[in-house]
Amino acid sequence: MSKHPGHPKTPLNEPGRLAALLAFELLDTPAEAMFDNITALAAQICNTPIALISLVDAERQWFKSRVGLGATETPRELAFCAHAINRDELFEIENALLDPRFRDNPLVTSDPDIRFYAGMPLSDGHGHNLGTLCVIDRQPRQLNEQQRQSLKLLAQQTVQLFELRLQSRHQREQAAVHKAMLGSAGTAVLVVDPAGLIQQASLGVAGLLGYSADGLIGRELELLLPRNGRQLTRDPLRSIPTQGSSQNQLHEVQMRHASGHAVPVLLNLSPICLEDNLDLGYLCIVHDLSYREEALQRLQRLTAQLPGVVYQFQLFEDGRSCFPYASQGIESIYGLTPEAVTNDATAVFARIDPDDLQAVSESIATSAANLELWHQEYRVLHPSKGLIWVEGRAAPQRCPDGSAMWHGFISDITERKHLERLKDEFVSTVSHELRTPLTSITGSLGLINGGALGAVPDAIKDMLAIAEGNSRRLRQLIDDLLDMDKLIAGKMSFDLQPIKLDELLAECDASHQGFAQHLGVRLLHSNCPDLQVLADAQRLQQVLSNLLSNALKFSPAQGEVRLYSELEGHSVRILVSDQGPGIPADFTARIFKKFTQADASDSRQKGGTGLGLAISKELIERMGGIIGFVSEPQRGSTFWIELPLHHQEDEL
Amino acid sequence: MPDLKRILHVEDDPSIQAVAKVALEAVGGFTVLSCSCGQDALDQVQGFAPDFILLDVMMPGMDGPQTLQELGRMVDITQIPVAFMTAKVQPNEIEHYRSLGARDVIIKPFDPMQLATQVRAIWSRSRG
């Protein structure tokens, strides 16, 4: 079916044309006087009752301005303008009733009863006809040449107005964005001329400095500087490069609020340069730093509650160091103010006890190199407290400039050191003063019970045996307590050496045969492979002795205790098995804990202190080994220790 | 080879002194001279002419190591073996005692029934 001859053709560049139309942001906007003036002028010049600025979009023609017509839009297929935009010249219909394209158009056959139409396309200069400037009459007629020329000029003028309107709109948008940017909280922007007079000020000055923006125009920038700090801020102003450089300068300064108080700010100064004219003045962007001051004060209030100093320490690659932040507590540690060390840490190092200085410096260097947590105890010569002990801990991080920055704290541990010394002295006293008389008691009883002084009457013998047994037990308890104390304090030293396993086990076997016979238990020692383990001989013997005496004590008379070893990969497992009652299930989890025995009556019956296995576990683990056991109720237990093998080639 | 008969024992604690004396005399069959301080030992060492010297480490005034140094100036300790008796027996401590000229260390608390055997063993080793 062919289309009605009045149906307008679609321009070849329709998609681009529609996009251009939309880009002008005109459709469905309110009437504007500048366009209404154009249509009024067109109607007057052409002497027509109707004049329109018609924009043709995909579905309709929409009138941006109209004279003499009530409708705001009509369907595109009825629009005369939809025909006009297919041409580059004026489209003129003298009598629509005589034109087959329009004679049955509802706009012709009914209101507004169009007879005459003349439409000049509105071209955007890129070949897109957006619509027309058209004049319409209800009578058939023609335009004279002058009217046609005027209509063409008015159409060009209309498109220019479209463009200006769009530009102006963009400028207003940009201005709004700038205004929003400049008016943001905590920032003020000033334009200062080369003489130092304020030319422009953003609204932000009201919130930041207490002045109205208008009130500052024409005033000297100096007004905003505190009286004792004017020189400070003038210097940065003078230092601004003016020779074609757009480099910004940042300065932290104090500015003066209208009410007189100082406001900490970051001043960003940059010269305003317009091509070759380099001396237009300066742009000053003022950032509020009072939030930082508040944060600092909050931090100070918090750190004031802490013992010692909380700090940042920075070590530069050239060896310089400083404390960018130190709480007031630095006074209690080094007798220095935070300000004294902000840029240079030399004064701090001068206060460290010379005997400890090297260790402190080395530990800092190691921490910086490996970015490992720094932890050090050292002495400080405090100007008022004298020699004090301090403990520092800090976590390092690498800064972009290659320096290392630590965040940490140092506390005074003089009191703790004093207590530690007292405890050490106490332990030493216990060790010597308690053990010495016990040595005599045990020794005396041993001599008597051993028959060195002749026969002892039976009635006395039993009592003396009890006395000797208990004095040995007391001595063992003291030894265990001292061992445990040394282990907990990390003060027990280990001399790890290769030990021949067969000799060690033979020695243990030999030294426990007497006790085994005394209890009527058989102690069996299997031959051991020719191996070496890496351990402290004395401590390993102590552990094996503990395991063997436990096994013997808990064995039934006529029972058997076996001492043997097994190779386990790169380790050796030494095992002690007995035929005792086994470990109760509810005790297995606690067996290596301090002061534990399965049955409270055991310590009295079996003479243990409840520390032996706890000490054994610590000792074995400090020697790089592990300890464990397997047990079956009423069938016995096997305790084992595993130690790393020592290979001959390890010595090479 | 001369026999081990005479032992000089230096110990400030009278109880331990007594126990050791009994242990060495009654069990070991030696002749023991007990001295209660370093100076006492220096005063008597030449008169007593010991075959072996047993020295406590921690003593008031002159301690064991100092006594050993002084004794070394008066008698030939390469011929008269010296052993310390002490509870301070960390490996580095034992190393230190040996560097001073001691032949061995007997650990306190000692077993009085075994003391004479221990002393004889050290004496034999030192005689090579």
Side-chain angles (χ1 to χ4, degrees), chain A residues 11-23:
Chain A
L12 292 173
N13 63 354
E14 182 67 0
R17 192 192 71 81
L18 287 173
L21 175 62
L22 282 175

Side-chain angles (χ1 to χ4, degrees), chain A residues 305-556:
Chain A
Q305 304 304 314
L306 297 173
V309 56
V310 180
Y311 68 92
Q312 289 177 311
F313 174 70
Q314 193 169 15
L315 176 64
F316 298 95
E317 286 180 305
D318 62 5
R320 285 179 303 117
S321 60
C322 64
F323 287 81
Y325 173 79
S327 64
Q328 290 295 333
I330 195 168
E331 163 66 37
S332 69
I333 301 296
Y334 291 114
L336 295 163
T337 62
E339 294 75 24
V341 295
T342 306
N343 298 315
D344 187 357
T346 310
V348 161
F349 287 98
R351 294 267 156 96
I352 295 176
D353 187 330
D355 288 344
D356 294 344
L357 186 57
Q358 191 184 350
V360 172
S361 300
E362 284 172 2
S363 63
I364 292 173
T366 306
S367 173
N370 308 328
L371 293 184
E372 283 170 359
L373 209 65
W374 176 73
H375 179 214
Q376 192 75 9
E377 290 182 5
Y378 53 98
R379 286 161 292 181
V380 169
L381 286 160
H382 191 281
S384 58
K385 297 197 223 172
L387 195 65
I388 60 168
W389 270 99
V390 302
E391 178 181 26
R393 288 173 195 273
Q397 65 184 60
R398 185 81 59 220
C399 296
D401 64 358
S403 66
M405 174 85 91
W406 284 262
H407 293 80
F409 66 93
I410 301 172
S411 51
D412 186 338
I413 56 161
T414 311
E415 185 62 25
R416 194 183 85 198
K417 282 282 178 187
H418 177 62
L419 291 174
E420 275 177 15
R421 199 169 59 243
L422 284 181
K423 198 193 80 176
D424 286 348
E425 283 167 7
F426 173 74
V427 168
S428 172
T429 305
V430 167
S431 163
H432 191 252
E433 300 301 326
L434 217 54
R435 273 207 274 203
T436 302
L438 263 178
T439 302
S440 314
I441 295 168
T442 315
S444 306
L445 292 169
L447 284 170
I448 296 167
N449 292 340
L453 303 172
V456 180
D458 284 348
I460 299 174
K461 201 184 257 177
D462 289 349
M463 288 299 112
L464 286 174
I466 291 170
E468 186 189 359
N470 278 280
S471 65
R472 282 185 194 283
R473 192 175 144 205
L474 190 53
R475 205 180 66 199
Q476 186 61 48
L477 179 60
I478 292 168
D479 288 347
D480 283 356
L481 284 172
L482 290 171
D483 277 351
M484 205 31 128
D485 179 76
K486 274 193 207 163
L487 281 166
I488 290 170
K491 286 182 179 165
M492 186 173 282
S493 56
F494 290 87
D495 183 24
L496 299 184
Q497 298 286 344
I499 300 169
K500 282 173 137 337
L501 198 60
D502 51 354
E503 287 179 10
L504 178 87
L505 296 193
E507 221 170 289
C508 287
D509 173 51
S511 63
H512 285 80
Q513 283 297 345
F515 187 44
Q517 279 166 21
H518 173 70
L519 294 172
V521 178
R522 272 186 301 159
L523 172 56
L524 305 174
H525 167 220
S526 315
N527 280 338
C528 170
D530 180 18
L531 293 170
Q532 290 195 334
V533 290
L534 199 61
D536 180 313
Q538 192 193 335
R539 297 300 173 192
L540 181 54
Q541 266 174 343
Q542 183 180 346
V543 173
L544 287 173
S545 173
N546 178 252
L547 297 184
L548 279 171
S549 64
N550 280 350
L552 292 167
K553 280 189 286 189
F554 286 95
S555 286

